[in-house]
Amino acid sequence: MSLGIFLRECLRSVYEVVLKDVSVRIAGLTGQGIEFATEVIVGACALKGLNVYTFRWFPTIVRGGSTYSEIRISDVEISAPPDKIDVLAVLDESGVKDVDDLLLRDSIILIDESLSIPQYNCRVFRQPLKKTSSEAKSRPNIVVVGFISGLLGLGYNSVSIVLEKISKKDLLESNLRGVEAGYKLFIESGLESFDLPSLSASKSIVQGSDMVALGALSAGCKFFAGYPITPSTSIMEKIMKWFPEVGGLAVQVEDELSAISMIIGASYAGARSMTATSGPGLSLMVEGIGFAAMAEIPIVVVDVQRVGPSTGMPTAYEQGDIDLATHPSHGDVPRIVLAPSTIEEYYSMTMLAFELADRYRCPVILLLDQVYVMNYFTLDKLEASRTSGRKNVSSVGGGLLQVFPSYSGSADGIPSPPLDGFLVVASSVEHDVKGLGTQDGKIHVDMSIKRLRKLGELEESPVGWEVLGDAEACEAVVSIGSCRGAVEEALEKIRKSSRMMLHIPLKQLWPLPRMLEETLKNVEKIYVIEQNASGQLLNLVSSKLPKTAELRSIRKFDGCPFRPVEIYRGLVYDGGG
């Protein structure tokens, strides 16, 4: 028995299982319809009002590489991958990977009778999946959907409703036959159904890309420029689909240099503007970000992180852009970096990014996680709101030859908004209060201080600040982004043993909140949870942590998100790295 299974079996006697849930993994090759099967099952669960969390591992090639999709289903709120696999459906044996620590004695493996996989200590059901799909004139992935829908108690009607919505017209009848045949296989297998409950109201299915695109629309964003790059492309695709309905303009450009330059120009012309990219693209944008900071032109840059450096693993998950996002250009660059930690915050903090960019007239970088942007989740409801967009100030008496002192600033260093009717000069070189270029060292000192001073209030009153758990605890956890869900699930189990711990899901990475040190001043041990090899978050926040506290780092960087049990193990057994 592996160490992971041994620990998990031991933990069952130590703490009560918090969540009542079922987890399914469908494994095989790319091109075998695993994502479609996932979408059908998620849709049927949403119709029953169940909560869903998904994660998909897939390679960069379109066909032939091994892939899998995990679906965690529960009648209570969930926001982390599962610690176990209850059902493993195998479409190709090469797709079976990294399951040793996830399969328990009562887990079920559903596999075609012609395939062979290693021996696991669980229940294996060999079924004629390929033969049945051929007889039904369907496909094996659809037969698997029918079998799993019976096993989960989703019901044929729920699955057929979803298929009618998402199937291509010429495949609908084939899909319905395949599901029916798969359901019949389940009945004949003699397995008992998990019989998941039906809750009162159905839920919406969203991806993080939906929430970012909707947040941009709600914020009054009118211009988007982007270049396709995994895993941010879906944001661009949805914005390009929806923008025309609100009078916005979205363009696909030749590279990231063009994207950053175009949104700077559009913002200077008066439109709220945004681009979306990933680490390699952000690397190309750093000069433009510096220009926007110097010219004090508000822009929003979305960075969906992936494994690096260089091309890295384009479809895999990592939080390796913390250093790049918080120090995105040479010189002293005023910038704001936000890292939302829930799928709902992908909407609200996208809206907030535009407000902050306009108020402080600087670049705002949204640091997002691939695991949220590209996967499916269920949502009860979205508290939608709308802003009127940028508010330019009108004036009387200005003229095109009269230069407005746009960079004079106020007491807190925030520059005045451009006035209609005046000439507003913006330049990448150092400039005076009217934007006119200068080599005067004294002016450079004054302007540098002014630019840096304007973010002071965000240091004192950070956005999205939360302290979860026991405020008087002597141990604390600091996390970033999508790690939040797994951390909270692990801490919920730890707190049952009367071990007090507080948790700060840090959402404003720059400027760093002064409240970090004040909140943690009496803490003796601090664990920093992040998904990169070098401890970028630990290095970033250490300057704001009490010097008397012992710092521990818990890291994971294999391309997959933290599971709650991994964080639990780090906090209870390993004590960090």
Side-chain angles (χ1 to χ4, degrees), residues 262-273:
M262 289 181 74
I263 68 167
I264 291 171
S267 180
Y268 175 71
R272 283 189 165 177
S273 305

Side-chain angles (χ1 to χ4, degrees), residues 58 228-233 277-280 304 306 314-316 370 374:
F58 58 101
I229 180 171
T230 302
S232 72
T233 306
T277 188
S278 189
V304 187
R306 73 186 204 189
T315 59
Q370 179 259 21
M374 297 191 70

Side-chain angles (χ1 to χ4, degrees), residues 227-233 256 276-286 289 301-314 316 318-325 328 365-368 370 536:
Y227 180 77
I229 180 171
T230 302
S232 72
T233 306
E256 289 85 357
T277 188
S278 189
L282 185 63
S283 298
L284 292 174
M285 292 181 180
V286 294
I289 291 172
V301 178
V302 175
D303 173 26
V304 187
Q305 301 169 93
R306 73 186 204 189
V307 173
S310 189
T311 306
M313 295 162 58
E318 195 167 276
Q319 295 174 325
D321 293 354
I322 298 171
D323 286 348
L324 176 60
I365 298 175
L366 272 173
L367 200 58
L368 306 185
Q370 179 259 21
Q536 294 181 30

Side-chain angles (χ1 to χ4, degrees), residues 247-267:
L249 175 63
V251 294
Q252 178 178 320
V253 295
E254 62 269 28
D255 54 36
E256 289 85 357
L257 297 175
S258 297
I260 191 73
S261 299
M262 289 181 74
I263 68 167
I264 291 171
S267 180

Side-chain angles (χ1 to χ4, degrees), residues 306-547:
R306 73 186 204 189
V307 173
S310 189
T311 306
M313 295 162 58
T315 59
Y317 165 56
E318 195 167 276
Q319 295 174 325
D321 293 354
I322 298 171
D323 286 348
L324 176 60
T326 53
H327 299 85
S329 188
H330 63 282
D332 298 311
V333 178
R335 70 280 187 192
I336 299 169
V337 182
L338 305 178
S341 63
T342 68
I343 196 69
E344 293 87 353
E345 287 175 352
Y346 271 48
Y347 173 79
S348 61
M349 294 191 79
T350 298
M351 288 190 67
L352 179 62
F354 287 95
E355 298 296 323
L356 294 176
D358 276 4
R359 170 165 172 74
Y360 298 103
R361 287 183 63 189
C362 70
V364 177
I365 298 175
L366 272 173
L367 200 58
L368 306 185
D369 289 345
Q370 179 259 21
V371 69
Y372 272 171
V373 168
M374 297 191 70
N375 292 291
Y376 296 105
F377 306 88
T378 46
L379 197 65
D380 283 318
K381 61 180 180 178
L382 177 64
E383 296 293 339
S385 58
R386 190 178 181 109
T387 67
S388 57
R390 181 172 301 167
K391 301 174 180 65
N392 288 320
V393 181
S394 297
S395 67
V396 178
L400 290 181
L401 297 180
Q402 188 170 346
V403 180
F404 181 72
S406 179
Y407 300 100
S408 57
S410 57
D412 53 8
I414 300 170
S416 304
L419 294 180
D420 294 340
F422 283 84
L423 177 63
V424 178
V425 179
S427 174
S428 65
V429 302
E430 186 57 278
H431 48 258
D432 61 16
V433 295
K434 291 185 176 182
L436 303 177
T438 181
Q439 293 289 314
D440 189 311
K442 184 179 184 304
I443 292 177
H444 172 64
V445 169
D446 292 341
M447 296 299 288
S448 295
I449 292 172
K450 180 191 73 69
R451 284 192 293 267
L452 294 176
R453 191 176 66 233
K454 64 184 177 180
L455 298 184
E457 66 181 18
L458 280 178
E459 288 187 64
E460 302 298 334
S461 302
V463 300
W465 181 260
E466 281 187 283
V467 179
L468 308 175
D470 309 293
E472 303 302 319
C474 60
E475 291 184 285
V477 174
V478 178
S479 72
I480 180 179
S482 59
C483 294
R484 172 184 179 146
V487 169
E488 276 302 295
E489 196 167 319
L491 289 179
E492 189 169 352
K493 297 165 186 175
I494 287 174
R495 289 167 184 145
K496 287 182 177 292
S497 64
S498 300
R499 181 179 173 186
M500 296 176 64
M501 300 191 78
L502 65 84
H503 175 206
I504 298 176
L506 190 61
K507 286 171 278 189
Q508 180 181 298
L509 299 189
W510 200 271
L512 270 174
R514 297 189 192 277
M515 296 171 69
L516 263 176
E517 187 167 9
E518 176 63 26
T519 302
L520 301 175
K521 63 182 180 181
N522 296 320
V523 170
E524 298 172 3
K525 186 180 292 186
I526 300 171
Y527 298 88
V528 180
I529 314 289
E530 56 186 310
Q531 300 221 215
N532 59 69
S534 59
Q536 294 181 30
L537 181 62
L538 176 64
N539 294 335
L540 177 69
V541 301
S542 59
S543 65
K544 287 287 193 287
L545 299 180
K547 302 300 184 287

